[in-house]
Amino acid sequence: MKKLDEMERNIQLRAKEKSYHVVLLVLSFWTFFHCWQTLQNGEPYRPLPGLLVCAAAAVQGFSEMAMKRRMTAGEEEYREPNIPFWTALAAAMVSLVFMAAGTYWILVKA
């Protein structure tokens, strides 16, 4: 396997970034389309595209936080709170609120 130089790595990283954004846009459109079909035409709800968008955003966010923590782990002047824990807790709480609101909405509508 050929070792990439800095310019080739930069090009490859930018290409992956653009493809990631396109995939997220397509999945977001797919999610909104299914929500529209569910609300307007009464079709069954399909959560797969929304779950994929959430999973991709979560993986990107948590991996970015983990990499930042690893890079600044040895520095004494850089102390931060346990951001991954608090972010995961906040994400769980927001998800719980949305699930509760969605369940209430579905039960009231039915």
Side-chain angles (χ1 to χ4, degrees):
M1 190 166 161
K2 181 181 149 186
K3 190 170 185 172
L4 301 176
D5 66 353
E6 187 174 342
M7 185 178 72
E8 289 173 335
R9 279 194 312 248
N10 191 18
I11 291 170
Q12 189 178 34
L13 181 64
R14 289 180 62 201
K16 287 180 181 181
E17 179 183 3
K18 289 179 189 282
S19 65
Y20 174 74
H21 288 129
V22 168
V23 168
L24 281 183
L25 283 173
V26 169
L27 284 173
S28 297
F29 176 75
W30 189 18
T31 300
F32 288 125
F33 175 75
H34 278 298
C35 288
W36 176 261
Q37 292 296 327
T38 299
L39 293 174
Q40 290 299 317
N41 301 332
E43 291 186 15
Y45 178 64
R46 296 182 186 107
L48 180 64
L51 292 174
L52 290 174
V53 170
C54 291
V59 166
Q60 181 203 7
F62 284 122
S63 63
E64 186 176 325
M65 280 190 289
M67 286 182 219
K68 284 180 183 178
R69 283 183 69 87
R70 216 174 320 159
M71 290 179 74
T72 59
E75 298 179 17
E76 288 185 22
E77 62 190 45
Y78 188 78
R79 296 283 181 194
E80 66 177 24
N82 196 351
I83 291 178
F85 171 74
W86 290 110
T87 304
L89 184 63
M93 295 303 290
V94 168
S95 299
L96 183 64
V97 167
F98 278 117
M99 285 176 33
T103 303
Y104 175 76
W105 182 74
I106 288 172
L107 291 177
V108 168
K109 187 177 179 182

